[in-house]
Amino acid sequence: RNGEFTVNVARIEFGRPIPGIVHVPVSGASYIGRTESHAELRDPGGESHTIRTSGDSRGRGVNIVGSRSHAGGELDGFAGKLGKHEFLAIGSSLKFCLVAEGRADVYLRLKPTCEWDTAAGHAVLAAAGGTVTDLEGLPLRYNARDTLINPSFLASGDLSRDYLAAANTTQ
């Protein structure tokens, strides 16, 4: 009821989401990730804008994105380890899209999600220059386990910081 829902479509090849589309029905915008080429934001009028991750947050605070319903607790511990930060609360796979656009630097997810909830956003973020890993630092893989439930993961567009170290000390 807050307009923060998306329609997610991705194709999985060899455990990776290639390509992916995150459509936002309320605004009419679409985020498109073509891992072999680029990521873009297509506005409701059909105009396309290339998007890239922030790349480097050193010298400024970190922008952390997360779910309204999962804020607090472990995320507070993670944020505290990063120092100066701002927390942006948003729903659905829009969290991946904010990181892909460079409006956020990192998204830590410690609660369960399903592969169909993350694959399209993952494709958009990867195409924009970001990464999505499990908490061991291995790329998040799809259709590779006996379950469609993802492990905890870290999505980052800022490769200048060791977010995994901060994430692993909060558990």
Side-chain angles (χ1 to χ4, degrees), residues 3-53:
E4 295 174 355
F5 63 93
T6 58
V7 176
N8 305 307
V9 179
R11 185 178 71 228
I12 305 300
E13 292 183 12
F14 305 107
R16 295 176 42 216
I18 311 169
I21 300 171
V22 176
H23 179 69
V24 188
V26 170
S27 72
S30 294
Y31 294 86
I32 302 165
R34 295 179 178 96
T35 305
E36 273 75 37
S37 61
H38 70 285
E40 64 185 77
L41 170 58
R42 190 162 298 158
D43 66 32
E47 190 172 330
S48 181
H49 311 275
T50 299
I51 57 174
R52 293 290 302 164
T53 62

Side-chain angles (χ1 to χ4, degrees), residues 46-128:
E47 190 172 330
S48 181
H49 311 275
T50 299
I51 57 174
R52 293 290 302 164
T53 62
S54 63
D56 188 344
S57 68
R58 290 177 294 194
R60 64 170 172 81
V62 177
N63 292 321
I64 303 167
V65 66
S67 173
R68 289 186 212 307
S69 58
H70 296 117
E74 295 165 325
L75 280 183
D76 286 345
F78 172 69
K81 299 221 180 309
L82 299 177
K84 183 179 174 188
H85 66 275
E86 181 177 338
F87 183 79
L88 310 166
I90 196 160
S92 70
S93 57
L94 288 169
K95 293 178 278 295
F96 288 100
C97 297
L98 288 184
V99 177
E101 277 188 276
R103 293 172 45 200
D105 300 304
V106 65
Y107 164 36
L108 173 64
R109 182 63 181 227
L110 301 171
K111 306 286 184 200
T113 58
C114 292
E115 290 184 355
W116 58 79
D117 293 322
T118 60
H122 182 162
V124 171
L125 177 56

